[in-house]
Amino acid sequence: MAKLSMPRLTQLCAVLAVAGVLGGCSLAPTYERPQAPVESAYPAATEGRAELDAVNLGWRQFFPDQRLQSLIAAALENNRDLRTAVLNIEEARAQYQIARADLLPTLNATGSAARTRTAASQSLTGQPVVSNSYQVGLAVPAYELDFFGRVRSLKDAALASYLATEEARKSAQISLVAQVAQAYLTERSYAEQLLLAEETLKSRESDIQLAQKRFDVGATSALDFRLTQTLVESARVARAQLQRQRAQADNALTLLVGRKVNDLPPTQLLSDEKIVTDIPAGLPSDLLINRPDIRSAEQSLLAANANIGAARAAFFPSISLTGSLGSASRTLGGLFESGSGAWSFGPQLSLPIFDFGRNSANLDLAEVRKNKAIVTYEKTIQTAFREVADALVARGSLDEQVTAQEAFLNSQQERLKLTDLRFKNGIASSLDQLDAQRDLFSAQQALIQARQLRLNNAIDLYKALGGGLNENTGSVATAR
């Protein structure tokens, strides 16, 4: 190795530094965001509603029910799917850091010692010779000068993939909040219907005892008695079915939360839930900013765009530098003496000539993947538009349905009162009375279900608009 003075050392370091600065010409296509393939307005009008930004409305504000708040907070801490999303972020961050590190040269400390015996037949003196060699220093392995932006494009792709993963985690958090809330409402709906079935069964069991006595004394026919009995058995069937459905709904809720939560605040009736329902939808263009899944799809598109730059750069020469700087001596003690400095410098040029279409195929692959990413991005926007539009269309009809169902229940209650009165006076038959009881029970169940659908619709709209993130206590803990 040739000897190196301090001015030469300075020159070598300057060459490596300038080479790193000069690199960075990118061959990636200029990115242009695709036009949103949706209408400029939603099909359902939202005028006349209070100004309320769903994105800036924390989930604790949207769900004031303290029991539901406790379940959502536990799910954000324990849900396994969300933990997986957090770990995916850590993986993508590490991959980005690896790609970013390739932009700068690697500096290694080196040291070696060798003892060699030359045979007498190969020695110039005719005698065996034993020689020693010691070296220490710093070395730069093959460092690619990124003149055509290949390494920089790979770094940009890794960064976009990392950001896409982060947005995917946010989307998973929004979905989890909505899923827990809807699973909770489902469990509460079955619980209310079960309580109604149990109360109805008790009432009908009392009725059948009276019907048995009337039948025994010949006051009613066997047909009237059997009709009363069918009401009892139908209520018993409904109770058994609702017991099963409530237990299954509770299991589904526990799975979402990630563990069984004890010491919860008391439950509320669906009619007492104060979930925010009056949220304006804004414009479809707002979804591009508010929806994490759309932002994630766009970051994936950016990554695919950057990969095209890396594939194009593969057609151009690759220039790499290898260098070392240190001290060499035949004796260990002479390593750091004057005149022991040594250095090496070796640029290398590689130009693809015949690759049998490999680089062309890689470029075609990168372009196809970008086109697929564009399609995915556009479909994600269309899906978001449809979710908001569906929720808006359902909102008005569900409001009307709940109001109509309440009026229908009131009518059924009055009908039963009048039918009972007519039956006691001998005007109405027992069949009329049994029909009124059956219809009232159905109307009561239908009202509970309609209220659940209305609350679920509000959650759907909140989720579709990208709400559910701005809550300090709703941040995701790092998975352990």
Side-chain angles (χ1 to χ4, degrees):
M1 301 178 69
K3 295 183 179 179
L4 180 68
S5 61
M6 288 304 296
R8 289 287 183 87
L9 171 60
T10 304
Q11 292 174 5
L12 177 60
C13 294
V15 168
L16 293 174
V18 171
V21 173
L22 291 179
C25 173
S26 176
L27 297 178
T30 301
Y31 174 75
E32 294 183 3
R33 175 183 286 176
Q35 292 293 325
V38 294
E39 301 295 331
S40 59
Y42 297 110
T46 59
E47 292 81 2
R49 296 186 178 274
E51 289 297 328
L52 185 62
D53 190 350
V55 177
N56 294 323
L57 183 65
W59 58 262
R60 287 188 182 274
Q61 294 175 272
F62 188 76
F63 302 108
D65 186 338
Q66 294 184 358
R67 187 182 183 90
L68 179 54
Q69 288 180 2
S70 299
L71 291 171
I72 293 175
L76 293 175
E77 292 291 336
N78 299 285
N79 183 267
R80 269 52 179 181
D81 290 336
L82 200 56
R83 285 189 177 186
T84 300
V86 173
L87 293 174
N88 288 338
I89 294 174
E90 298 298 325
E91 178 183 2
R93 182 188 292 120
Q95 291 174 340
Y96 164 64
Q97 290 172 344
I98 292 172
R100 184 179 61 178
D102 290 338
L103 290 172
L104 301 175
T106 301
L107 186 63
N108 296 333
T110 62
S112 65
R115 185 177 179 84
T116 306
R117 181 182 185 277
T118 304
S121 60
Q122 296 179 332
S123 173
L124 295 177
T125 62
Q127 299 293 327
V129 177
V130 177
S131 61
N132 298 320
S133 176
Y134 300 93
Q135 291 184 2
V136 294
L138 301 175
V140 177
Y143 167 59
E144 181 176 349
L145 300 181
D146 196 27
F147 286 116
F148 303 102
R150 188 188 73 86
V151 178
R152 188 170 299 276
S153 293
L154 293 176
K155 185 269 295 183
D156 292 341
L159 175 59
S161 297
Y162 162 61
L163 295 176
T165 308
E166 170 65 20
E167 296 296 342
R169 195 276 304 169
K170 294 178 181 178
S171 181
Q173 178 177 334
I174 293 175
S175 296
L176 178 61
V177 170
Q179 288 173 0
V180 171
Q182 291 182 337
Y184 172 74
L185 293 178
T186 299
E187 189 274 335
R188 286 290 85 211
S189 174
Y190 285 138
E192 288 188 28
Q193 292 180 67
L194 176 59
L195 179 61
L196 174 62
E198 290 174 342
E199 293 175 349
T200 302
L201 178 59
K202 290 180 181 179
S203 175
R204 291 180 180 178
E205 285 176 341
S206 300
D207 292 342
I208 200 173
Q209 292 178 2
L210 178 60
Q212 180 71 56
K213 294 178 181 179
R214 290 171 59 86
F215 174 68
D216 292 339
V217 299
T220 58
S221 65
L223 178 60
D224 290 338
F225 174 73
R226 293 305 177 186
L227 287 173
T228 305
Q229 191 175 35
T230 59
L231 284 182
V232 175
E233 299 306 325
S234 65
R236 185 172 287 114
V237 169
R239 182 184 66 175
Q241 181 180 7
L242 290 167
Q243 285 175 337
R244 181 184 70 255
Q245 291 174 328
R246 183 193 178 186
Q248 292 174 341
D250 187 63
N251 292 337
L253 181 59
T254 301
L255 177 62
L256 285 172
V257 173
R259 64 181 178 88
K260 193 70 175 178
V261 182
N262 299 318
D263 301 326
L264 289 171
T267 59
Q268 295 183 6
L269 295 175
L270 294 181
S271 57
D272 296 331
E273 288 288 349
K274 303 301 181 184
I275 292 178
V276 177
T277 57
D278 201 15
I279 305 175
L283 298 174
S285 58
D286 296 337
L287 295 178
L288 303 182
I289 302 173
N290 299 336
R291 291 265 304 214
D293 56 340
I294 295 179
R295 296 199 300 265
S296 177
E298 184 173 16
Q299 290 297 335
S300 297
L301 175 56
L302 286 167
N305 191 73
N307 282 328
I308 292 179
R312 287 177 175 177
F315 288 90
F316 294 87
S318 173
I319 304 173
S320 60
L321 300 178
T322 301
S324 65
L325 172 69
S327 177
S329 175
R330 292 183 178 180
T331 62
L332 184 62
L335 274 177
F336 301 101
E337 293 180 354
S338 177
S340 64
W343 62 272
S344 69
F345 177 71
Q348 181 178 358
L349 173 67
S350 175
L351 176 64
I353 299 178
F354 298 110
D355 63 357
F356 302 97
R358 181 186 301 273
N359 287 337
S360 296
N362 282 332
L363 178 57
D364 291 342
L365 177 62
E367 291 176 343
V368 169
R369 286 177 174 172
K370 178 184 176 180
N371 292 333
K372 289 177 60 179
I374 291 175
V375 173
T376 300
Y377 174 70
E378 292 175 340
K379 182 179 179 181
T380 304
I381 294 176
Q382 290 177 332
T383 301
F385 181 89
R386 177 189 172 183
E387 289 177 355
V388 176
D390 286 348
L392 290 175
V393 169
R395 175 163 63 180
S397 61
L398 285 171
D399 283 338
E400 185 178 350
Q401 180 179 342
V402 171
T403 301
Q405 193 65 46
E406 289 174 345
F408 180 70
L409 176 59
N410 292 333
S411 298
Q412 289 293 346
Q413 290 172 336
E414 292 299 322
R415 173 195 171 193
L416 180 59
K417 291 179 181 178
L418 295 174
T419 303
D420 284 340
L421 183 60
R422 288 169 59 85
F423 176 73
K424 292 177 181 178
N425 293 327
I427 301 175
S429 66
S430 60
L431 181 59
D432 294 333
Q433 184 188 42
L434 297 177
D435 283 341
Q437 292 176 347
R438 186 185 298 109
D439 291 343
L440 176 61
F441 179 64
S442 297
Q444 291 171 326
Q445 287 186 310
L447 179 58
I448 295 174
Q449 295 167 359
R451 285 170 175 165
Q452 179 198 350
L453 289 175
R454 180 65 188 91
L455 295 172
N456 280 342
N457 171 255
I459 297 171
D460 287 338
L461 182 58
Y462 183 61
K463 172 188 171 184
L465 294 175
L469 284 178
N470 292 341
E471 182 65 51
N472 294 333
T473 56
S475 60
V476 180
T478 301
R480 293 180 288 275

